[in-house]
Amino acid sequence: MDNFDSTKNSLVSVHNLTFSRGEKKIFDDISLEFERGKITAIMGPSGTGKTTLLKLIGGQLFPEHGNVMVNGRNVHHLKRDELYTLRKRMGMLFQSGALLTDMTVYNNVAFPLREHTKLPESMIRSLVLMKLEAVGLRGARDLMPNELSGGMARRVALARAIALDPMMILYDEPFTGQDPISMGALVLLIKSLNSTLGLTSIIVSHDVHETSAIADYIYVLADGKIVGQGTPQEIQQSSSEWVQQFMKGAADGPVHFHYPAKEYMDDLLHSEKPLFSRIRLSDERSEKRKRYS
């Protein structure tokens, strides 16, 4: 069934989603709602499938069970041309920025307009300058990507992401590798663009402070499940040990510091070749080499 009526004003709805890679279960029957006009964050430790969730929403990956509804349509039931049409309404800010290195800033932002529309160059120029002005980089339009700082490159990528006036933007770790000033500029941009353009934003991040400052709602994922959800204030007050460890950056807790292993003394005493045996064998080999050299 492609049509879905949610009790919330949801642009994206994920229902009973199960997804695995090999024998590892990434998501185990999880359900999430992403409301229109809101900024929703997906947080959790590294390796919990946050970026994988974005790929499922964009139709790059297929779930084993459950469905993903975007604007009332089941993403994984769409024909290829229908999926491509839907994707044009989704902006994507990649973790690396993913700018085309042999194109200027101007041409990077113009690229989706030239690729997906039949607009004249005069109108494309106006739109490109408008998007670059929105991210504060109209004056950098003639620079090449290798001439940009990390923060500037991320803002150019954001200008490109909004070039086609999407209904939503997916952000994959937007704050990674940014200095405090660049990070502050990105936080302000994401919040202001979401409000000004009436966007719906989904942010995948493990940067607690920055994401909590702008998110309307947060899901915390761990071990294939949703271990916490709510407003930033509710998340901070959560009784979940998983949530508290993540939000406070504790070294140990439900996510253990030590990788699972047998008892340390058992490992030392019951190794295949005790340490002293290996030392004796090494000495014997050295003696033989000396004898025959």
Side-chain angles (χ1 to χ4, degrees), residues 4-13 33-38 40 71-72 198-200:
F4 171 73
D5 293 323
S6 175
T7 55
K8 294 184 177 181
N9 182 29
S10 301
L11 180 63
V12 179
S13 298
E33 299 281 346
F34 301 89
E35 290 195 54
R36 295 176 189 272
K38 303 292 185 181
T40 303
N71 204 27
L199 297 169
T200 299

Side-chain angles (χ1 to χ4, degrees), residues 53-191:
L53 183 59
L54 296 186
K55 292 181 178 180
L56 285 159
I57 291 172
Q60 291 172 272
L61 297 174
F62 282 75
E64 295 169 30
H65 178 72
N67 55 62
V68 178
M69 312 296 294
V70 176
N71 204 27
R73 307 199 70 187
N74 190 324
V75 171
H76 301 99
H77 288 181
L78 297 176
K79 296 177 181 177
R80 180 175 294 184
D81 58 339
E82 294 174 327
L83 178 60
Y84 286 172
T85 298
L86 180 62
R87 283 177 178 169
K88 291 175 189 177
R89 304 194 66 196
M90 300 180 187
M92 179 74 190
L93 184 66
F94 298 94
Q95 182 175 341
S96 63
L99 296 179
L100 300 169
T101 57
D102 58 344
M103 290 186 180
T104 63
V105 164
Y106 178 96
N107 286 325
N108 262 279
V109 180
F111 183 80
L113 293 165
R114 290 169 176 155
E115 188 74 13
H116 298 298
T117 74
K118 296 181 180 179
L119 296 173
E121 276 298 318
S122 58
M123 187 170 292
I124 288 176
R125 182 177 186 277
S126 297
L127 289 170
V128 170
L129 295 182
M130 184 189 305
K131 306 306 179 183
L132 287 173
E133 178 70 14
V135 300
L137 292 176
R138 180 169 50 85
R141 63 182 178 269
D142 295 324
L143 297 181
M144 298 297 290
N146 62 2
E147 299 178 286
L148 304 174
S149 68
M152 291 171 69
R154 204 68 58 90
R155 283 193 280 159
V156 172
L158 182 51
R160 184 180 61 187
I162 62 173
L164 292 172
D165 294 325
M167 61 183 176
M168 63 184 291
I169 298 186
L170 309 177
Y171 296 88
D172 187 7
E173 299 288 2
F175 310 120
T176 298
Q178 300 299 300
D179 64 69
I181 296 175
S182 297
M183 196 176 292
L186 280 170
V187 168
L188 178 64
L189 266 176
I190 291 171
K191 184 70 173 177

Side-chain angles (χ1 to χ4, degrees), residues 278-290:
R278 281 182 274 137
I279 293 174
R280 185 190 307 162
L281 182 61
S282 177
D283 289 342
E284 290 174 355
R285 287 174 177 169
S286 296
E287 187 63 32
K288 285 182 180 179
R289 281 197 295 271
K290 290 178 181 177

